[in-house]
Amino acid sequence: MKAIGFKTSLPIEEADSFIEFEKEIPTAQGKDILVKVEAISVNPVDYKIRRNSLKDKQQDTPKVIGWDAIGTVEATGEEVTIFQKGDRVSYAGDLTREGSNQEYQLVDERIVGFAPKKISMEQAAAMPLTSLTAYELFFDHFKLSKEKDAGKTLLIIGGAGGVGSVAIQLAKKLLGLTVIATASRDVTIDWCKKMGADYVVNHTNLVSEVKNIGFEQVDFIVDFVDLNQYWEAIVELIKPLGKVGSISDPTEPVRLQQLKRKSVSFYWELMFTRSMYQTEDMIAQHHILNKIAQLLEEGILQPTLHTTMQGLTAENLKEAHRLLESGKAIGKVVLKF
């Protein structure tokens, strides 16, 4: 089968930043299913791993990454109970295993969902990682519910990105929150409004922008961009007893003690935690993905696909990484095989 990987961490402009190669199709064992991959999407975690995982190292066999896919089950391990050959599935995968940038992939059935049927393959491929991330943050960590939280305010830093695009919708459609999203370009402002944001503010003057639309403070804040850059604004804008969550990778220490005066709770979210540590509730991701598929089929959520590229090629992957690294990507970028 064809696979695309890299032997060392290189800038995306380098010829060998991604290379195409052939490898054996693996065999499903235990709780693994073997999926014939039909489309993948690219996330910021992809370029972060590509740039950092093999710094000053050279592997003989290319490292295969990629953490979003849709495909068809080709074979099942002896312990598989949820899926069977022929099922259409979607998933985000496991950070500790080979990724989806290949024609066939092994994945544990507990982190796989049945693919939504009423949207296109490309649209479905765009959803798993970002949906899991936003859903876990709101429901597992913040423990929000429409019954007790409807009408409360949520500030989303990075509204037009992959996670932000889903988070806006979940917050509006499932929780009834008043959503303030950040964006600075006309095209990203329009995208956030399309996703359902009540207000869109410029992130460059975050405190004054939020106050100018009538909010001195907000109940919840989620950071999908850069915690260091926005930390002082977050500390000022969060209400007493509020909740703050982040998925970013701060390069400097974060002064959490600044939240103590307001008794604010802080949460990290990494959707790979359950699979990395084989947590007891690992199968929760199967259920979340099925819930997201249902919401997509019912039209409650809209797909966040923005750009589609045709073919699993090194050049397409390079172009997708270039776009994400530019910081100008909107929604999700998908490669259809």
Side-chain angles (χ1 to χ4, degrees):
M1 66 168 174
K2 182 203 286 190
I4 298 177
F6 55 95
K7 293 184 176 182
T8 187
S9 293
L10 294 169
I12 200 62
E13 295 78 19
E14 296 282 336
D16 290 339
S17 58
F18 277 118
I19 53 177
E20 297 182 20
F21 68 105
E22 293 289 321
K23 58 180 291 194
E24 293 295 318
I25 297 174
T27 302
Q29 296 178 321
K31 293 184 180 296
D32 280 352
I33 57 175
L34 177 67
V35 179
K36 186 181 190 305
V37 183
E38 295 160 8
I40 59 172
S41 72
V42 182
N43 297 280
V45 65
D46 295 52
Y47 72 74
K48 292 174 184 177
I49 296 291
R50 193 206 80 246
R51 293 196 303 199
N52 298 305
S53 62
L54 293 178
K55 268 188 175 179
D56 306 316
K57 299 176 186 175
Q58 182 84 26
Q59 286 192 177
D60 293 332
T61 304
K63 179 182 181 74
V64 178
I65 62 172
W67 292 283
D68 257 340
I70 182 172
T72 302
V73 177
E74 286 288 304
T76 59
E78 65 278 4
E79 297 177 31
V80 169
T81 60
I82 302 172
F83 301 103
Q84 58 187 354
K85 181 178 170 62
D87 285 338
R88 294 294 299 283
V89 295
S90 60
Y91 52 90
D94 180 342
L95 201 61
T96 66
R97 304 183 68 179
E98 283 199 333
S100 55
N101 296 346
Q102 53 187 335
E103 292 180 320
Y104 292 86
Q105 182 185 6
L106 291 176
V107 60
D108 189 303
E109 69 167 350
R110 291 172 291 178
I111 57 171
V112 177
F114 289 100
K117 297 174 181 176
K118 295 182 181 179
I119 60 175
S120 73
M121 179 195 310
E122 305 95 287
Q123 290 173 324
M127 301 304 295
L129 184 146
T130 53
S131 298
L132 286 166
T133 299
Y135 195 99
E136 288 181 351
L137 192 50
F138 290 156
F139 295 97
D140 293 350
H141 303 323
F142 283 14
K143 299 192 183 305
L144 302 182
S145 70
K146 195 166 192 174
E147 291 70 28
K148 65 181 178 62
D149 297 307
K152 291 181 180 178
T153 47
L154 167 71
L155 172 62
I156 297 176
I157 301 174
V163 181
S165 300
V166 181
I168 290 171
Q169 296 186 69
L170 291 177
K172 285 304 300 178
K173 299 293 183 64
L174 270 62
L175 294 167
L177 300 179
T178 297
V179 177
I180 308 164
T182 71
S184 59
R185 295 178 288 145
D186 288 344
V187 65
T188 52
I189 292 168
D190 290 344
W191 179 265
C192 289
K193 290 177 179 177
K194 178 184 174 185
M195 293 297 109
D198 296 291
Y199 303 92
V200 184
V201 298
N202 193 311
H203 55 83
T204 54
N205 303 293
L206 193 50
V207 173
S208 59
E209 285 270 317
V210 172
K211 292 186 176 184
N212 285 343
I213 59 171
F215 299 95
E216 287 297 310
Q217 296 179 321
V218 296
D219 296 287
F220 314 114
I221 300 176
V222 289
D223 156 57
F224 300 143
V225 182
D226 183 341
L227 198 56
N228 290 140
Q229 181 178 349
Y230 298 104
W231 183 248
E232 295 300 326
I234 289 169
V235 170
E236 183 169 346
L237 287 171
I238 191 67
K239 277 186 182 179
L241 304 177
K243 296 177 180 179
V244 175
S246 178
I247 66 169
S248 66
D249 299 297
T251 54
E252 300 292 332
V254 177
R255 291 183 289 169
L256 286 177
Q257 68 268 28
Q258 290 181 283
L259 300 178
K260 182 178 180 181
R261 185 181 182 90
K262 293 182 180 178
S263 296
V264 168
S265 303
F266 181 85
Y267 301 86
W268 286 117
E269 160 59 16
L270 181 68
M271 60 124 293
F272 295 114
T273 298
R274 282 173 159 140
S275 54
M276 286 173 69
Y277 293 97
Q278 299 276 307
T279 61
E280 292 179 1
D281 66 346
M282 186 170 161
I283 199 163
Q285 292 199 335
H286 165 72
H287 299 307
I288 294 170
L289 288 169
N290 285 346
K291 172 73 171 178
I292 295 297
Q294 179 186 352
L295 293 168
L296 287 163
E297 290 183 345
E298 292 174 355
I300 296 171
L301 293 184
Q302 58 178 309
T304 58
L305 171 67
H306 185 270
T307 304
T308 302
M309 300 178 183
Q310 297 293 329
L312 176 66
T313 68
E315 281 309 310
N316 277 345
L317 264 184
K318 288 178 185 179
E319 182 56 33
H321 278 236
R322 270 191 289 268
L323 180 57
L324 264 69
E325 288 183 53
S326 74
K328 297 188 182 301
I330 302 170
K332 292 298 294 290
V333 180
V334 166
L335 275 63
K336 181 180 179 183
F337 294 9

